[in-house]
Amino acid sequence: MTNIHTISSSVTAFLDLLSQADAVMADSSPLLISWDVTEPTGSPSNELVRFSWEDGGLDYALVLTEEGIAAGRWQGDKYLCLDCEGDEVEISLNKLTPLKPTMCKQCGSHLDGDYCSDETCVFSDWPQSVEREDLSVFATDEIEEKYGVQKRTATAL
């Protein structure tokens, strides 16, 4: 006789978000950037996700089963579920965004988005991604085409 298990939609939704995460905090873990995931089978005892880390010379692990994830719930930005030992844990899935400078590469003034806040600076009209040399060599339309940007124009207040 074949035993057919159904994979919980909560499990697939959690795994989908986990696959998009750049970093995870699992209960009291530090920020983790890697973890192990196995294929869901629909079996409640299937150890699906393993978070592991080292702290103070000691190794730690937190294992989530399909049953624990399936019975979990979101509370704000934390996923509350049971680990393989039956203890409630909080999982936080995070996206990381790159840092970018807040100072103009030409004059050192503060940036307003990607543009220099100093109206006398050439980068008050052009984003920081444009190379300074190109501004003296290319026409406006050529720069806009090369970088896929538009020269900022003055707007009425």
Side-chain angles (χ1 to χ4, degrees), residues 10-73:
S10 296
V11 168
T12 56
F14 179 82
L15 290 177
D16 180 52
L17 289 173
L18 181 60
S19 72
Q20 297 175 52
D22 296 325
V24 172
M25 288 193 70
D27 225 12
S28 61
S29 78
L31 194 61
L32 305 174
I33 58 170
S34 66
W35 47 88
D36 297 312
V37 179
T38 62
E39 289 296 318
T41 63
S43 173
S45 62
N46 181 27
E47 294 185 351
L48 194 56
V49 181
R50 179 182 182 83
F51 301 107
S52 56
W53 64 95
E54 184 182 319
D55 188 19
L58 299 174
D59 293 329
Y60 295 91
L62 183 91
V63 177
L64 304 180
T65 62
E66 286 193 47
E67 180 179 42
I69 294 171
R73 69 191 184 289

Side-chain angles (χ1 to χ4, degrees), residues 70-103:
R73 69 191 184 289
W74 285 100
Q75 186 173 42
D77 61 354
K78 308 262 190 256
Y79 193 71
L80 307 178
C81 62
L82 300 178
D83 67 9
C84 68
E85 297 175 353
D87 297 322
E88 187 171 73
V89 294
E90 289 184 1
I91 309 296
S92 172
L93 308 176
N94 302 282
K95 293 294 281 178
L96 302 177
T97 56
L99 299 175
K100 58 183 182 180
T102 59
M103 307 292 270

Side-chain angles (χ1 to χ4, degrees), residues 103-117:
M103 307 292 270
C104 175
K105 67 181 183 180
Q106 174 70 23
C107 71
S109 295
H110 290 285
L111 293 181
D112 179 14
D114 285 334
Y115 298 89
C116 182
S117 61

